[in-house]
Amino acid sequence: MLACHGGRSAQKVASERLGLARKPVASGRGCGLMTRLRLKSALFTDGQIELEISDLPATIGRSPRSDIVIHDLQMSRVHAEFRLNARGEIELVDRDSTNLTIVNQQEVRTCVLKTGDQILLGETELLVELDASAAAIHEQTTREIPVIEPLADGGGVADVTCG
């Protein structure tokens, strides 16, 4: 059985490690909005933990030195790191783990996370949810909000991509 840091919730452990004080974060540009990372697992007391952009980078592993501590003997001491990349996206980076970092059944060294991604670290499975911050959306100017063009045939809306 896997346990989080002596029975304390992973949310509490993450809060203790990362601190509750929030530092200001520059507004995102284009599609890279400030985001909240939610990791879901039956392993967590509350079923999930949440990290704000200001909490990143954050490490995950079985060592007390990790920001998120999970007692899984198949997980490395500092297995992986969640961080913000230059485009404002949250990515998962393997920290030379012994038993690999797997996202959506693929071994990864670095992976930009999306809602619905399934992460496997050791024997620990995590489901990813990303929520754009309402403040980040509010701070965008109309020039920064992607334009959604109707399709030429009048049926539906064209896909919008970040670039």
Side-chain angles (χ1 to χ4, degrees):
M1 182 170 97
L2 305 176
C4 285
H5 206 71
R8 289 185 293 164
S9 73
Q11 180 72 47
K12 182 172 181 173
V13 171
S15 295
E16 289 171 359
R17 288 271 182 214
L18 300 170
L20 294 174
R22 303 284 185 219
K23 51 190 171 203
V25 178
S27 172
R29 297 285 178 222
C31 292
L33 299 174
M34 290 188 299
T35 306
R36 175 180 301 121
L37 170 63
R38 185 175 298 120
L39 300 172
K40 294 187 166 196
S41 174
L43 174 69
F44 303 135
T45 302
D46 299 331
Q48 64 186 20
I49 60 169
E50 292 183 2
L51 298 172
E52 301 286 339
I53 291 296
S54 58
D55 295 328
L56 302 179
T59 57
I60 186 168
R62 63 182 165 86
S63 169
R65 292 179 295 136
S66 293
D67 297 310
I68 303 168
V69 177
I70 298 178
H71 293 289
D72 174 347
L73 294 178
Q74 298 302 310
M75 191 179 287
S76 294
R77 288 177 183 89
V78 181
H79 195 103
E81 178 178 83
F82 298 98
R83 68 180 182 197
L84 197 63
N85 68 18
R87 293 177 41 149
E89 302 162 317
I90 296 175
E91 60 185 13
L92 177 63
V93 180
D94 182 80
R95 297 277 304 265
D96 296 322
S97 63
T98 302
N99 290 324
L100 311 174
T101 295
I102 298 174
V103 177
N104 301 327
Q105 301 176 354
Q106 299 290 319
E107 176 187 346
V108 299
R109 298 286 300 146
T110 300
C111 177
V112 173
L113 295 175
K114 303 176 301 302
T115 294
D117 283 346
Q118 295 177 340
I119 300 171
L120 180 64
L121 306 172
E123 294 181 350
T124 301
E125 294 180 26
L126 305 169
L127 179 64
V128 173
E129 282 188 8
L130 299 173
D131 293 331
S133 161
I137 293 170
H138 179 72
E139 289 177 5
Q140 285 185 302
T141 67
T142 54
R143 292 181 194 269
E144 295 173 319
I145 298 173
V147 175
I148 300 174
E149 300 288 339
L151 295 175
D153 63 5
V157 177
D159 291 332
V160 177
T161 57
C162 298

